[in-house]
Amino acid sequence: MASNKKYWKSVEELNENSSIVDTLRQNEFVEEIPTDEFLGDKKSLEESSTTRRDFLKYVGFTTAAASLVACEGPVKKAIPYLVKPDEIIPGVADYYATAIADGFDFANVLVKVREGRPIKIEPNKEANGSTNARVQASVLSLYDGLRLRSPRINGDSVSENISWSDVDVQIVKQLTDVSASGKAIAFLTGTDASPSTTSLISQFAERYGNVRHVIYDSVSESAAIDAYEAMYGSRALPSYDFSKAKTIVSVGADFLGDWQGGNFEAGYAKGRIPDHGKMSHHIQFESNMTLSGANADTRVMVKPSAQKTILADLYNVIVNGGSAKNADVAVAVKQIRNAGKNAVIVTGIQDKNAQLLALAINNAIGSLVLDVNTTNNTRQGNDADVAQLISDMKSGKIGALIINNSNPIYTLPNSAEFIDALGKVDLSVAFSMTDNETANAVQYALPTPHYLESWGVVEMKKGHFSFVQPTIQPLFDTRQFHDALLKWNGSTQKYYEYLKSSFAGLGADKSFSQSLQDGSFSIPIIEKEVSIVNDVDFASAYRTISSVKESGLELQLYTKTGLGDGQQANNPWLQELPDPITRATWDNYLTVSQSDAETLGIKNWNVANGGLNGSYVQVSLGDEKLVVPAIIQPGQAPGSVGLALGYGRKAGMKEEMKIGKNAYAFYKNFNSTQSGVSVDLVSGEHEFACTQLHNTLMGRGDIIKETTLSTYNDHSLDPKHTWNPVPVVSLKHQEVEATTVDLWDEFDRSVGHHFNLSIDLNACTGCGACVIACHTENNVPVVGKDEVRKSRDMHWLRIDRYYSHEENFEGDNTKKEEMNGLLGEKGTLSGYGEMEKPSSNPEVAFQPIMCQHCNHAPCETVCPVAATSHGRQGQNHMAYNRCVGTRYCANNCPYKVRRFNWFDYANNNEFDFHMNDDLGKMVLNPDVTVRSRGVMEKCSMCIQMTQATILKAKKEGRPVKDEEFQTACSNACSTGAMVFGDINDKDSEVAKLKEDTRAYHLLEHVGTKPNVVYQVKVRNTEV
C-alpha cells in the first residue's frame, strides 16, 4: 500500500510560497558549479574543431598518464653535508638562549634550532622568561618573504637598491654636512632598553655634535613614566610582583594584557590558585571587557572618564581619610585595608595626575607588590619629546633624522604632519626589518636583521641583563643599527666585538661566554628605601582628576593579544589567532554595549552557514572618520566603545593581510581614551570570522565547574557530593558513579609511562600563547578568513570563552534547575532561549580544549580503517597515511576537537601563507608530518616531544625527570595552568593534581575516561 506521508528536509518547505524551495527543486546544488573553470565557456566549446573520437582519445591518454603518475611519489632531493658541522647532529635540536626586545614585547627565550633553522620559541624559564602569543609567533616573522632585503635609496619617482659601501660614503658625507650647518641630528627609536644603544649614540654625539635621542613608543606609557619621574626623580616604571598581592584593584589597567609591557601573568596566577585556603581578591574597574576584567572576582563597568573619579575617590578615602562617594569604591577600600601592605592599586589612565594618585595610594599603604627600586625599562618613550621633534622638523631645525625600530608614519596620530615635516629634513634614514610605511617615505631605507639574526644586550629591569645572540646566519643583505653606528662613528669594530669589549663594564659576576650561554645575568642592586625625592602637589592632581565630567560617547583604544601594536601584522599565525574575548579573527571592529547598540541600530546576526554578520558604523572624532564593523560586546560599559590598534597596515604586506582599519588616527595626544566621539550606522553588512558563536553555558555546570572560596574551605563538605560532584548512572537499578562503569575491559596501564595533562581553570587567563605554541610545534596550517568563517579553522587547541546569562554562573545553574515544564514563565522553551543571551556584565570563564586522549575514545571505535588508535602511554594516535577522511571520528567526538583538511594548505596558491613558499617552509618542524587533503588531524599530545625526552634519558642511562616531560602548550604556559607529566610516577606533579579534590574530567558522564584533567575554578567573590 502506498504511503501518503510527506517528507520534508527543512522548515522552509512548509512555506508554500518560498522562492528558496522553488530554486532548490530546479537546482541540485545550492551554489552554481564552476564548470567554466575546467570546460571553458560555451563559445569556445562551440568553436572547437575537436571530434568526439579525438576527445575520447585524449581523455583515455590523460587518464592513463594520471594513473601512471599516481603510482609514483614526488621526488624530493636531500643534500647531505659534505663536512658536517661539529655543533649539528641531524635530527637533534639545538637550543640557544636569547631575548626579544622589539620595542613592544620583551622576553627571555630559548630558540629551538634544527639543522641551522630556528623553528620554535620557548620561554627561558631559568631566566624568568615568559612568552605571549606574539613572542611565540615571532619566529615566523624571520621567514617573512616581504622583508626589506637590501639597502634602498628612495628617489622622487623611483627607488633603487644601493650597496652598503655606498650607503656609508653618502650618509657619512651628509651627516658631516649637517653637523657643519649647525642643524641637529635626531635619532627617533623605539624602546630597546639597551645600554649599548645609549653608549653608541653618545659616542655618535661626540663625533657629530648637536645630536638628540628621542624615544617613541607606539602605544605610550609616558604619563606613568612622567609621574614616576616627578615622584622619584628618574624616568622609569615601577615593577610589580603580583604573587605578593592579597588584594588587587585595577582602574583601567589591563595588566594581563599589554599594560606597561606585560609579563605580569605569572605572578598574578600564583595568587589565584587556592593555597592553604587563601587566594587573592581582584577588583577591576574598566570600560572594555579585557583579559584582566574577565579574570577578576569583581568587575565594575565604568566609562573612561568615570575611571578618573573612581581613582580620585580611592585616593580621598585612603590618603586623605575621607568617605567614599561610590559604593563600589567603599567595597574596594575595605578589601585594601584588610590586605594591608599586600594590596596594590594599578591604573591604565594615560594622565600624569592619575598616575601620581595611584603611586601616592600605594605609598600610603606601603604596598609590597610595588617595587620602585628595581625599575622596569620596557617602556621609555617621551610624548613631549616626540611632539617637540616634529615641531623642530617643521621649522627646519633638524638636519638629519635617523629612525630605528619604529614606524611613525603608521603609528603616529598626526602622521600627515610628520610626513610633511619629514620633507623639510635634509637627510632621512630608516632602519627597518620590514618594507613598511616609514621605509617607503625616507631617503634611505636600510634593512636590519631579525632579532634571531642579531647581537645585543638588554636591561629589561634594573640590574637584570639579557643577551641577544644570532641563531641563524642573516638571510638577506642586512646590517644592525649598532653596526652602522660603529661604522659612522669611524670605528672598525663589529658590534659583537664591541659587546664583548664592553661586557666587563656591566659588572657581571660571570664570564661573557657563560652569560651568553645562560642568556642573562644580574648584578646586585643595593636595596634601599626609595622615598619621594620631589615635592609633588598631590592636592592639585586630586582636584584635577576629581573634576572630570562625563561627555557623551567615549572611545577606549586598546591592543589585541594577537597583533599588539601592529608590527607583526604580516604574521598569519597572529591574524588567525582568535581574540580571547570576542573569539573573532582577521579583523578589528568597534565593540559596543547591548544598550548602545539598540540606540544606534547596530545589529549582529548569524546567517545560514553559521557565520556571524554585523552592521557597519562610521566613527568620527574631530576631522578623523573611519568606517568599521561593530560587535555587540557583553561587559562593554554603556556610553563607551572600544577599537583595537595595530590593524590597517598596507606597506610590505601580503594582500590577505591588508585587513582592518588603522585606528592610530584616533590616538590623539597619545591618549587611549577619547571623548566627543560620534558613531553613526551606515549601510552594508560585515562578515566576521569567529571561532565560537555560542557564548553561554546555559547552566551546564558540568563543563566548567565552579565554586566559591568559602565553600572550598568548608572541610565539612564532601567535594564529590557538593562542589565537585561526580556524575552518576543507573546500574542494575542502583545509582553508581559514572567513572566506575565500563563497557570495555580495562587493561593494566601501570607499566611504562602514562601521560596526563592537568589544566587549572584558576590559573588560565585565556592569553592564547599555548595556541600559537601548538601551531608552531605541530605545523598547523593557516586557512584564512573565508575558511575560518566556515568553521574550518585548523587549530588543534582552542580556548573556549563563556559568559554567564545571569550575573554569575551560579545564577545560571539555579535558573536551569528551577525550570519546570515546556511552557510558562519557568518553561524550558523560553528559558533556554533567554539563557543563550549573555548578561550585560557577565562573569567570564576560559577553558582550553584539545583532544582529551580518552582511554575509551569514541573516535577509535568508529574509524573504518583503524587510522586512529590508542597507545599504551595514554595518547590517542593518528596514522595519517591510513586516514581516508570519512570524518566518522569527528562526528563521534563529544569534545569536537578534530580538524579535517578540506584542502592541501601547503603548496597551494589559494592559501598564500607561509606554507606556500620555500622561505616560509623553513619554519616547519621536520619531526611532524605536513598533512594532506582529506586527512583528519588533531592534538597528538606532542608525541614527538615525549619520545625525544624518553630517548634522551635512555641514551644517558637515567630515568626521566618529572619536569622534563612537556608539550608545546604546557611549556608555553606562563601561568602554570597546564601541567604535563607521567601519572605512573606517583611523585610527579601531574599525578598529585589528578588526585586533587578540585580535579574533574570533561563530560565525565559520557564514560570516555580522558587523560586531560581539569581543576575546578574557585572564585573569591565574598567581601
Side-chain angles (χ1 to χ4, degrees):
M1 183 176 178
S3 172
N4 293 323
K5 288 183 179 179
K6 182 178 180 180
Y7 296 92
W8 46 276
K9 297 179 180 178
S10 70
V11 291
E12 190 68 35
E13 292 191 31
L14 299 178
N15 182 0
E16 296 180 358
N17 298 320
S18 172
S19 60
I20 297 176
V21 173
D22 290 337
T23 302
L24 292 177
R25 283 173 181 161
Q26 303 298 324
N27 298 283
E28 179 182 358
F29 301 101
V30 178
E31 298 181 3
E32 184 178 352
I33 300 175
T35 53
D36 57 324
E37 292 184 10
F38 52 89
L39 291 179
D41 56 26
K42 182 178 178 182
K43 182 179 179 183
S44 62
L45 286 174
E46 288 176 347
E47 294 176 355
S48 173
S49 59
T50 305
T51 63
R52 178 174 178 272
R53 181 185 296 241
D54 288 339
F55 174 75
L56 292 175
K57 182 167 61 177
Y58 298 150
V59 169
F61 173 77
T62 53
T63 303
S67 301
L68 184 63
V69 170
C71 295
E72 298 180 2
V75 176
K76 296 182 179 179
K77 296 181 180 179
I79 303 173
Y81 287 112
L82 185 62
V83 178
K84 185 183 75 65
D86 293 338
E87 66 274 13
I88 292 180
I89 301 175
V92 177
D94 292 314
Y95 289 85
Y96 294 90
T98 188
I100 178 174
D102 64 6
F104 195 74
D105 292 304
F106 294 79
N108 291 311
V109 298
L110 291 177
V111 184
K112 182 180 181 181
V113 178
R114 282 293 302 269
E115 288 78 53
R117 297 178 296 111
I119 62 170
K120 178 90 168 47
I121 303 297
E122 297 177 357
N124 185 355
K125 297 177 181 179
E126 293 184 6
N128 296 317
S130 63
T131 56
N132 58 28
R134 294 183 299 273
V135 174
Q136 285 283 337
S138 62
V139 65
L140 183 58
S141 298
L142 169 66
Y143 303 114
D144 183 356
L146 294 181
R147 281 176 56 185
L148 195 58
R149 299 191 175 206
S150 59
R152 189 180 68 211
I153 184 168
N154 296 320
D156 294 332
S157 56
V158 294
S159 299
E160 59 181 5
N161 291 336
I162 185 174
S163 70
W164 278 109
S165 58
D166 288 344
V167 165
D168 295 333
V169 170
Q170 294 179 22
I171 289 181
V172 168
K173 180 181 183 302
Q174 292 185 65
L175 287 172
T176 305
D177 293 343
V178 169
S179 178
S181 71
K183 291 183 178 180
I185 300 172
F187 286 91
L188 180 64
T189 72
T191 297
D192 68 356
S194 173
S196 60
T197 301
T198 305
S199 174
L200 285 170
I201 291 178
S202 297
Q203 293 176 24
F204 185 93
E206 292 174 4
R207 179 181 175 94
Y208 292 100
N210 190 7
V211 174
R212 74 170 77 165
H213 181 198
V214 177
I215 301 177
Y216 163 58
D217 293 326
S218 55
V219 181
S220 176
E221 292 289 350
S222 186
I225 299 171
D226 292 343
Y228 184 93
E229 183 180 25
M231 204 160 167
Y232 296 109
S234 61
R235 287 192 64 77
L237 289 171
S239 56
Y240 297 85
D241 184 357
F242 287 100
S243 67
K244 297 178 181 178
K246 291 181 180 177
T247 295
I248 303 166
V249 178
S250 170
V251 184
D254 183 16
F255 59 89
L256 294 180
D258 298 323
W259 177 76
Q260 295 192 3
N263 291 330
F264 300 114
E265 63 277 0
Y268 174 80
K270 289 178 182 177
R272 302 297 292 168
I273 300 173
D275 182 22
H276 297 92
K278 296 180 180 180
M279 61 181 286
S280 64
H281 186 82
H282 175 191
I283 301 172
Q284 185 85 9
F285 296 90
E286 64 180 12
S287 52
N288 292 355
M289 174 69 84
T290 66
L291 275 180
S292 300
N295 285 278
D297 296 301
T298 303
R299 180 179 182 272
V300 183
M301 296 188 301
V302 287
K303 292 174 62 174
S305 58
Q307 292 172 23
K308 293 185 176 181
T309 58
I310 292 287
L311 187 62
D313 204 4
L314 285 166
Y315 173 85
N316 185 45
V317 177
I318 295 172
V319 180
N320 292 343
S323 56
K325 301 174 184 178
N326 182 292
D328 294 311
V329 170
V331 172
V333 169
K334 182 179 179 181
Q335 291 293 103
I336 290 169
R337 286 174 173 163
N338 287 341
K341 291 186 176 183
N342 293 103
V344 68
I345 303 280
V346 293
T347 182
I349 301 172
Q350 294 303 308
D351 185 299
K352 179 181 175 181
N353 291 315
Q355 295 291 337
L356 279 171
L357 294 189
L359 289 173
I361 295 171
N362 287 318
N363 183 69
I365 62 180
S367 176
L368 299 175
V369 180
L370 180 76
D371 185 352
V372 295
N373 193 24
T374 308
T375 52
N376 184 354
N377 299 322
T378 55
R379 295 289 185 271
Q380 298 176 334
N382 190 319
D383 296 345
D385 285 356
V386 173
Q388 185 61 50
L389 173 65
I390 296 173
S391 175
D392 289 346
M393 288 166 62
K394 290 169 65 178
S395 62
K397 296 178 181 178
I398 305 297
L401 179 66
I402 301 173
I403 303 169
N404 178 54
N405 194 28
S406 184
N407 186 8
I409 289 181
Y410 166 67
T411 59
L412 276 172
N414 54 338
S415 176
E417 183 183 1
F418 181 83
I419 294 172
D420 179 60
L422 193 64
K424 299 176 181 179
V425 176
D426 300 329
L427 170 65
S428 57
V429 180
F431 286 87
S432 175
M433 189 186 78
T434 60
D435 193 9
N436 58 30
E437 290 78 1
T438 302
N440 282 278
V442 296
Q443 296 166 10
Y444 292 90
L446 306 182
T448 57
H450 189 270
Y451 79 93
L452 295 176
E453 304 168 308
S454 304
W455 287 102
V457 64
V458 182
E459 188 180 12
M460 299 182 197
K461 281 189 177 181
K462 185 178 179 180
H464 297 269
F465 295 86
S466 304
F467 265 114
V468 182
Q469 67 170 314
T471 59
I472 186 175
Q473 288 289 333
L475 297 173
F476 306 118
D477 186 14
T478 57
R479 181 196 282 177
Q480 276 191 252
F481 170 66
H482 306 84
D483 274 313
L485 286 184
L486 284 165
K487 199 87 171 177
W488 301 344
N489 285 345
S491 173
T492 58
Q493 268 189 318
K494 296 289 186 183
Y495 183 43
Y496 166 73
E497 297 166 351
Y498 176 84
L499 281 178
K500 198 168 182 179
S501 62
S502 61
F503 173 77
L506 297 175
D509 58 358
K510 50 187 175 182
S511 68
F512 178 83
S513 298
Q514 187 62 51
S515 300
L516 193 62
Q517 180 178 325
D518 296 342
S520 66
F521 64 93
S522 299
I523 60 174
I525 299 294
I526 300 174
E527 291 293 336
K528 59 180 180 179
E529 187 175 343
V530 180
S531 58
I532 299 175
V533 296
N534 295 326
D535 293 328
V536 181
D537 190 355
F538 293 111
S540 174
Y542 169 71
R543 286 193 300 271
T544 303
I545 292 298
S546 58
S547 63
V548 172
K549 304 295 182 184
E550 295 186 23
S551 58
L553 202 60
E554 298 174 8
L555 172 65
Q556 178 72 59
L557 297 167
Y558 68 99
T559 54
K560 277 196 178 187
T561 303
L563 286 197
D565 65 345
Q567 61 180 284
Q568 287 197 72
N570 207 37
N571 191 316
W573 288 347
L574 294 175
Q575 291 281 11
E576 197 150 292
L577 175 69
D579 181 85
I581 303 297
T582 64
R583 309 299 293 144
T585 65
W586 294 95
D587 258 323
N588 68 334
Y589 34 75
L590 195 74
T591 56
V592 297
S593 67
Q594 180 66 52
S595 58
D596 288 336
E598 291 172 0
T599 302
L600 296 167
I602 296 169
K603 295 180 180 179
N604 289 157
W605 64 94
N606 294 105
V607 293
N609 67 355
L612 179 70
N613 284 15
S615 306
Y616 278 109
V617 294
Q618 179 175 274
V619 185
S620 303
L621 177 63
D623 295 332
E624 300 294 339
K625 301 180 188 300
L626 277 183
V627 174
V628 293
I631 276 186
I632 301 172
Q633 175 60 54
Q636 183 76 36
S640 70
V641 291
L643 184 61
L645 301 167
Y647 286 80
R649 289 271 312 275
K650 302 298 181 187
M653 302 279 290
K654 285 190 174 182
E655 203 60 39
E656 295 84 351
M657 311 290 180
K658 296 178 182 179
I659 60 167
K661 297 297 177 66
N662 184 1
Y664 278 108
F666 292 150
Y667 194 42
K668 304 293 185 184
N669 299 316
F670 307 104
N671 199 326
S672 57
T673 62
Q674 301 289 331
S675 58
V677 177
S678 64
V679 176
D680 300 295
L681 187 70
V682 296
S683 60
E685 63 181 77
H686 184 77
E687 295 183 345
F688 293 102
C690 293
T691 59
Q692 183 180 349
L693 299 171
H694 193 92
N695 294 314
T696 61
L697 283 170
M698 299 174 64
R700 293 170 291 178
D702 59 335
I703 294 178
I704 292 184
K705 292 187 180 182
E706 290 195 351
T707 190
T708 62
L709 184 61
S710 59
T711 303
Y712 174 74
N713 286 335
D714 189 346
H715 300 298
S716 66
L717 301 175
D718 180 4
K720 284 189 174 184
H721 297 93
T722 50
W723 52 268
N724 188 12
V726 178
V728 295
V729 295
S730 178
L731 179 66
K732 299 178 181 179
H733 308 290
Q734 297 282 332
E735 281 195 345
V736 299
E737 293 183 359
T739 53
T740 64
V741 179
D742 262 336
L743 291 176
W744 292 272
D745 291 332
E746 282 286 352
F747 62 89
D748 184 10
R749 302 181 190 276
S750 63
V751 178
H753 303 289
H754 190 90
F755 297 118
N756 267 213
L757 176 66
S758 171
I759 301 175
D760 196 324
L761 300 181
N762 264 59
C764 177
T765 62
C767 71
C770 55
V771 177
I772 298 295
C774 174
H775 226 79
T776 313
E777 174 68 27
N778 295 294
N779 300 336
V780 177
V782 174
V783 299
K785 182 177 179 178
D786 291 342
E787 293 299 299
V788 172
R789 183 172 164 80
K790 297 173 184 175
S791 299
R792 292 177 177 176
D793 62 290
M794 298 299 292
H795 295 111
W796 285 12
L797 164 61
R798 70 176 191 266
I799 303 178
D800 288 341
R801 180 268 304 123
Y802 293 106
Y803 300 129
S804 64
H805 164 67
E806 301 291 327
E807 288 186 1
N808 50 52
F809 288 106
E810 184 59 36
D812 290 3
N813 297 338
T814 302
K815 181 171 183 175
K816 179 184 176 183
E817 290 168 1
E818 291 178 351
M819 287 184 186
N820 186 19
L822 180 65
L823 304 174
E825 186 178 335
K826 293 190 176 182
T828 56
L829 190 62
S830 60
Y832 280 127
E834 291 175 2
M835 291 183 75
E836 289 186 12
K837 301 174 184 176
S839 165
S840 60
N841 186 22
E843 270 190 352
V844 184
F846 297 102
Q847 186 175 46
I849 302 286
M850 68 290 289
C851 175
Q852 302 291 292
H853 295 270
C854 310
N855 289 323
H856 292 167
C859 56
E860 296 169 11
T861 57
V862 295
C863 181
V865 292
T868 182
S869 58
H870 211 70
R872 291 195 63 89
Q873 295 179 345
Q875 294 151 315
N876 176 270
H877 297 173
M878 273 297 304
Y880 298 124
N881 60 343
R882 291 185 65 90
C883 180
V884 294
T886 63
R887 290 178 285 156
Y888 295 162
C889 54
N891 290 336
N892 221 37
C893 174
Y895 308 102
K896 301 306 169 193
V897 290
R898 287 177 164 265
R899 302 288 178 259
F900 183 69
N901 284 267
W902 291 91
F903 301 95
D904 273 328
Y905 298 113
N907 302 314
N908 189 337
N909 290 333
E910 295 296 320
F911 301 94
D912 190 19
F913 306 111
H914 67 289
M915 287 188 178
N916 196 42
D917 61 81
D918 289 339
L919 185 63
K921 289 177 190 174
M922 289 177 71
V923 81
L924 296 179
N925 185 355
D927 292 333
V928 180
T929 304
V930 175
R931 284 73 67 187
S932 58
R933 180 182 180 182
V935 170
M936 188 66 69
E937 62 181 68
K938 52 94 198 174
C939 163
S940 65
M941 209 174 262
C942 291
I943 189 170
Q944 71 279 3
M945 293 178 68
T946 57
Q947 293 306 303
T949 301
I950 292 169
L951 290 173
K952 180 182 178 183
K954 183 178 180 181
K955 181 180 177 182
E956 295 174 1
R958 58 172 179 82
V960 181
K961 299 173 186 176
D962 177 33
E963 67 276 5
E964 284 187 276
F965 281 126
Q966 292 286 352
T967 58
C969 56
S970 68
N971 197 31
C973 184
S974 301
T975 64
M978 293 182 173
V979 178
F980 180 76
D982 179 8
I983 58 171
N984 284 344
D985 176 5
K986 300 305 177 185
D987 293 326
S988 67
E989 186 178 358
V990 75
K992 295 172 184 175
L993 288 170
K994 186 176 183 293
E995 301 303 322
D996 194 277
T997 55
R998 290 202 295 139
Y1000 76 98
H1001 292 107
L1002 195 57
L1003 301 181
E1004 214 156 16
H1005 60 278
V1006 179
T1008 54
K1009 295 197 172 181
N1011 282 314
V1012 177
V1013 60
Y1014 293 86
Q1015 306 294 323
V1016 172
K1017 187 174 182 66
V1018 180
R1019 292 188 185 268
N1020 187 7
T1021 53
E1022 292 90 350
V1023 178

